[in-house]
């Protein structure tokens, strides 16, 4: 859209086009999200994100080992006691008919960040108490911006929801900004979730998982 | 940009174009802000904003009377004791070489909302402790969204700053979101500032003005 015949798009123009496309699309259009992921992957901000993450020991180890969670038997997890992280995760996934995403091995840190954020996205939903609706998504997006700090993707994804509200659905603005504020404050207060060894925590009560990671739910 | 030869732009498309234009412009490009003001003035959201404002008695009276502040002698205000609202306002304006804006009489409620928000913008800066830099602007924009609730203009203006950060200046995102969160919480906690009779408050200490309006400064 911002192309001319003479000049190729800069990545900034390409990113702006991606945000426009996702703003004009229906909520949850994954092809537009993939386009934004690709457009927002500039080396400079990726380096900054890696540098920021590496300040936390367990996130640094995760970036080095680049280990994926692998496949997860949700039905088995669903048999755990009903106060455990494993039960809550399985219950969330089964109730919403979601499948745990298995990612392919990452060869670079940048690729691992993408993979890890995708494969743990629904675990983050559960531990941060972020609902599956748009308020929960915005809360979690703001949480991710607070935690990754320099991620163009999460910042842009969150911003497009505010842009959609300002143009198409102004009545939603109040709820969206309350969700954003909640997620931002929770993300700032919590320990870094990136690289947490979730596989070792399935049997731990969800309350204890939250306490160990300084995740304090905020009720609005 | 979103035009076709066949169909005229809808106001939503026109608003999206305005946000794109202001995102691509330098900070403080007032022609782009005016374009956004015009594009975001749809009757539905204006009605909602009026309805929301009218819930507060002094805002409702202001909407009925549609009285402007008129011209203000900043040098005279600057002679007031140095703890007063008048002194602080004059000092802010003189220090930043700003002139108090005199608006023309408003014939409709919608026009009065525009005028009143413009002519009191710098007073809002002073009473909310919002600095004149981009952090202060974003803090005040979020404050305005919280106070007017259904204003497409303030929501879009604030959002374009997040969009600019996500594309052109990701290092700014952390400070911008801290400012947004601060402004949002202050705006929610404060009494409605729309229609406050500032002219009667020049000689009051700024601390007392803030206390009377439930404005609690948040230090980050």
């Amino acid at each position: 859209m911002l192309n001319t015949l003479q000049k190729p798009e800069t990545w900034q123009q390409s990113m702006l086009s991606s945000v426009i496309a996702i703003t004009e699309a229906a909520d949850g259009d994954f092809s537009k999200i993939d386009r934004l992921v690709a457009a927002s992957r500039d080396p400079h901000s990726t380096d900054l994100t890696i540098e920021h993450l590496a300040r936390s020991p367990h996130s640094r180890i995760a970036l080095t080992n680049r280990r994926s969670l692998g496949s997860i038997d949700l039905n088995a997890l669903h048999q755990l006691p009903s106060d455990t992280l494993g039960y809550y995760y399985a219950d969330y996934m089964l109730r919403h008919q979601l499948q745990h995403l298995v990612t392919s091995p990452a060869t670079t840190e940048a690729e691992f960040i993408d993979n890890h954020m995708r494969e743990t996205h629904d675990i983050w939903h559960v531990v941060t108490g972020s609902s599956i609706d748009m308020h929960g998504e915005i809360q979690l997006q703001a949480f991710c911006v607070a935690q990754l700090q320099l991620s163009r993707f999460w910042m842009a994804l969150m911003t497009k929801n505010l842009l959609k509200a300002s143009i198409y659905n102004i009545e939603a603005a109040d709820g969206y900004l309350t969700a954003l504020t909640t997620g931002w404050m929770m993300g700032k207060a919590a320990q870094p979730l990136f690289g947490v060894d979730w596989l070792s925590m399935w049997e731990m009560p969800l309350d204890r998982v939250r306490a160990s990671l300084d995740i304090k739910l905020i009720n609005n």
Side-chain angles (χ1 to χ4, degrees), chain A:
Chain A
M1 186 187 296
L2 296 159
N3 266 331
T4 67
L5 288 175
Q6 288 75 39
K7 285 193 258 174
E9 271 193 334
T10 62
W11 72 259
Q12 288 92 340
Q13 287 169 329
S14 156
M15 194 170 161
L16 183 53
S17 307
S18 304
V19 174
I20 296 163
I22 199 169
T23 299
E24 290 185 303
D27 287 340
D29 178 337
F30 285 101
S31 71
K32 301 294 189 301
I33 296 178
D34 289 343
R35 182 174 157 193
L36 183 62
V37 169
S40 55
R41 200 187 278 137
D42 82 299
H44 172 62
S45 71
T46 303
D47 286 349
L48 290 173
T49 303
I50 292 169
E51 201 180 298
H52 170 71
L53 289 173
R55 286 188 203 136
S56 145
H58 65 262
S59 304
R60 186 169 61 241
I61 291 168
L63 281 169
T64 306
N65 293 345
R66 300 202 277 275
R67 203 172 288 151
S68 87
L69 298 186
S71 66
I72 286 171
D73 184 343
L74 293 174
N75 291 310
L77 282 188
H78 208 228
Q79 303 308 312
L80 287 172
S82 64
D83 63 344
T84 58
L85 172 64
Y87 175 85
Y88 272 103
Y89 178 59
D91 194 62
Y92 176 94
M93 299 299 277
L94 296 170
R95 202 154 23 94
H96 298 303
Q97 300 181 294
L98 298 169
Q99 295 196 321
H100 176 77
L101 184 77
V102 179
T103 57
S104 43
T107 52
T108 65
E109 288 171 321
E111 210 182 314
F112 178 71
I113 293 174
D114 277 2
N115 287 359
H116 185 70
M117 293 303 290
R118 280 173 197 256
E119 70 176 352
T120 62
H121 179 75
D122 289 309
I123 301 177
W124 288 42
H125 260 283
V126 171
V127 295
T128 62
S130 301
S131 54
I132 203 170
D133 60 5
M134 190 47 83
H135 287 176
E137 291 298 342
I138 292 171
Q139 177 178 307
L140 187 49
Q141 286 157 8
F143 187 96
C144 291
V145 178
Q147 291 253 314
L148 302 190
Q149 277 204 23
L150 295 144
S151 162
R152 289 187 198 286
F153 169 72
W154 287 105
M155 183 71 176
L157 192 67
M158 185 185 77
T159 300
K160 73 89 189 168
N161 287 318
L162 306 190
L163 188 52
K164 285 185 91 150
S166 72
I167 299 176
Y168 307 110
N169 189 13
I170 191 64
E171 289 93 331
D174 192 74
Y176 282 14
L177 285 168
T178 299
L180 184 158
T181 302
T182 302
W184 177 255
M185 293 193 298
M186 286 176 63
K188 282 284 181 183
Q191 296 298 317
L193 262 54
F194 187 94
V196 161
D197 182 13
W198 302 111
L199 298 180
S200 70
M201 297 172 102
W202 292 137
E203 294 175 38
M204 198 185 279
L206 179 57
D207 284 353
R208 270 188 48 214
V209 172
R210 285 177 178 154
S212 73
L213 295 167
D214 295 329
I215 296 171
K216 292 179 194 73
L217 302 198
I218 298 170
N219 295 316
N220 297 299

